[in-house]
Amino acid sequence: MATMTVKLRGIPETEAAIGWAGAHAVVVDRPEGKAGGQGLGFNGGQLLGLAIGGCLCNDLYYVAHEMGIGLTSVSVDVAVTFEGTPLLATSAAVQIAVETADKTADVGTLIQRARTISAVSNSIARGVPVRFPG
């Protein structure tokens, strides 16, 4: 079992927050003008899309290395749809495009394997439980 921990703390005088894990950081904020947001960083929905797409990008590279395929270009676009009150993510549509150094490489298998091992999208699809204290 692996556990990854991220921390978020408010940035003084901004109402935004900074989140980090190890040496990597990201700024979190609401859109400008919404509940004090200044648009200084990503909102939660954008972070969800980044998590899905970022994990898949890494998985494409992992699988490409395993298959001995050199990737020359990777493009992943994620559109997350939200509905209701409170807003809930109801779907995420992912578009993937990869180019390889070897034009005969099996790109279909590469993408399918990456989709199969993608931890974030698989976790969401299985309804990962989120625990809050109290």
Side-chain angles (χ1 to χ4, degrees), residues 1 7 21 31 34 36 38-39 41 44 53 59 66 68 71-72 74 81 92 95 100 102-103 112 118 121-122 127 130:
M1 182 168 94
K7 298 180 180 196
K34 187 167 185 175
Q38 297 177 29
D59 293 330
E66 290 172 4
L71 298 179
T72 58
V74 172
T81 300
Q95 296 292 319
T100 64
D102 176 1
K103 300 305 176 196
Q112 183 56 41
S118 192
S121 59
N122 287 327
V130 178

Side-chain angles (χ1 to χ4, degrees), residues 48-112:
L48 178 59
L50 281 170
I52 293 167
C55 185
L56 182 58
C57 275
N58 284 338
D59 293 330
L60 288 164
Y61 285 107
Y62 289 141
V63 172
H65 279 260
E66 290 172 4
M67 294 176 68
I69 297 173
L71 298 179
T72 58
S73 175
V74 172
S75 175
V76 174
D77 296 339
V78 180
V80 182
T81 300
F82 294 87
E83 296 179 27
T85 304
L87 281 177
L88 296 174
T90 56
S91 69
V94 180
Q95 296 292 319
I96 305 166
V98 297
E99 294 179 13
T100 64
D102 176 1
K103 300 305 176 196
T104 64
D106 188 352
V107 172
T109 297
L110 166 71
I111 291 172
Q112 183 56 41

